[in-house]
Amino acid sequence: MTTETATTDIELLRQLRDGSSAAFQALYRRHQGPLYRFALLRCGSPDTAADVVQEVFLGLLSGSFGYDPLRGQLQNFLFGVARNVVMKLEETRRRTDSLSCAEDEDGELDLGGDDSAEPLKRMLGNEQAEQVRLALSKLPPHYRDAVILYELHDMSYLEIADICQVDIGTVRSRLSRGRAALAKKFAGAALDAA
């Protein structure tokens, strides 16, 4: 994102705080798509991704997240908030799942996962993209964040460090390990297919 766009974001935020619905719509149009794609790849559920985006923008609208333009770009801030919302939802889901693991009618363990892969397949467009999404979903969350932000959102190490609140060396390490884990998964899949 250029400095000009960052300045525009700041100006739109000022207008938003002055009550401009047009400013909110402009910010939403600009940032909703990338945030939704990040949340979708991060959590795997279209409904959850939409909820994450909604929570991010409600917080932006209410000012409850306390964005400070002196601390970085709005885009990075919004990705950080989305990441935190996803992590909070995952923690809640883990606690709920550990309390309510139930058996379905086939006697198999049901962990309450979301099986809505069809809309995701349409969005991603092909089987190979779906395989990438599935492989990403199996990465540990901290590796997944680095890979998604770097490879799919073209963010710099510095931007990822800001979003994930870690140092650049940690971003490099997570990205390297995440890529290695993906390569291993794809190499295993290729051997299974042969």
Side-chain angles (χ1 to χ4, degrees), residues 48-113:
T48 302
D51 290 345
V52 168
V53 171
Q54 180 179 356
E55 189 166 336
V56 169
F57 280 99
L58 285 175
L60 184 65
L61 185 61
S62 70
S64 64
F65 295 134
Y67 170 68
D68 180 0
L70 298 175
R71 297 196 63 204
Q73 296 180 12
L74 178 64
Q75 174 184 342
N76 296 352
F77 176 79
L78 295 176
F79 272 104
V81 171
R83 178 180 176 267
N84 290 340
V85 170
V86 168
M87 289 181 355
K88 183 174 77 174
L89 290 171
E90 288 173 343
E91 180 59 32
T92 301
R93 187 175 296 133
R94 271 193 294 276
R95 272 192 251 124
T96 303
D97 288 348
S98 68
L99 295 175
S100 65
C101 286
E103 289 189 10
D104 64 16
E105 59 271 0
D106 297 334
E108 294 180 15
L109 193 60
D110 177 13
L111 297 176

Side-chain angles (χ1 to χ4, degrees), residues 12-186:
L12 287 170
L13 272 175
R14 187 192 61 71
Q15 292 172 16
L16 172 65
R17 291 186 179 129
D18 289 342
S20 170
S21 63
F24 178 78
Q25 290 171 358
L27 286 168
Y28 185 83
R29 279 192 306 270
R30 181 176 295 154
H31 297 289
Q32 180 272 338
L35 288 172
Y36 177 81
R37 287 186 297 275
F38 169 76
L40 181 61
L41 289 167
R42 184 61 169 73
C43 64
S45 163
D47 292 338
T48 302
D51 290 345
V52 168
V53 171
Q54 180 179 356
E55 189 166 336
V56 169
F57 280 99
L58 285 175
L60 184 65
L61 185 61
S62 70
S64 64
F65 295 134
Y67 170 68
D68 180 0
L70 298 175
R71 297 196 63 204
Q73 296 180 12
L74 178 64
Q75 174 184 342
N76 296 352
F77 176 79
L78 295 176
F79 272 104
V81 171
R83 178 180 176 267
N84 290 340
V85 170
V86 168
M87 289 181 355
K88 183 174 77 174
L89 290 171
E90 288 173 343
E91 180 59 32
T92 301
R93 187 175 296 133
R94 271 193 294 276
R95 272 192 251 124
T96 303
D97 288 348
S98 68
L99 295 175
S100 65
C101 286
E103 289 189 10
D104 64 16
E105 59 271 0
D106 297 334
E108 294 180 15
L109 193 60
D110 177 13
L111 297 176
D114 185 6
D115 294 330
S116 59
E118 204 52 42
L120 181 61
K121 282 184 182 178
R122 282 195 305 272
M123 185 192 93
L124 293 176
N126 63 40
E127 189 175 315
Q128 187 176 22
E130 179 64 9
Q131 290 172 352
V132 170
R133 189 204 63 79
L134 287 172
L136 279 170
S137 73
K138 293 177 183 172
L139 288 178
H142 52 283
Y143 294 164
R144 195 177 329 149
D145 291 336
V147 171
I148 291 169
L149 292 171
Y150 186 82
E151 298 293 348
L152 302 173
H153 288 280
D154 296 324
M155 292 195 167
S156 70
Y157 291 157
L158 186 60
E159 290 171 317
I160 297 167
D162 184 41
I163 291 167
C164 296
Q165 300 177 345
V166 296
D167 62 55
I168 289 177
T170 302
V171 171
R172 286 186 178 121
S173 172
R174 289 178 179 180
L175 185 57
S176 175
R177 290 179 180 162
R179 285 174 172 163
L182 283 175
K184 188 174 180 180
K185 288 182 189 309
F186 285 118

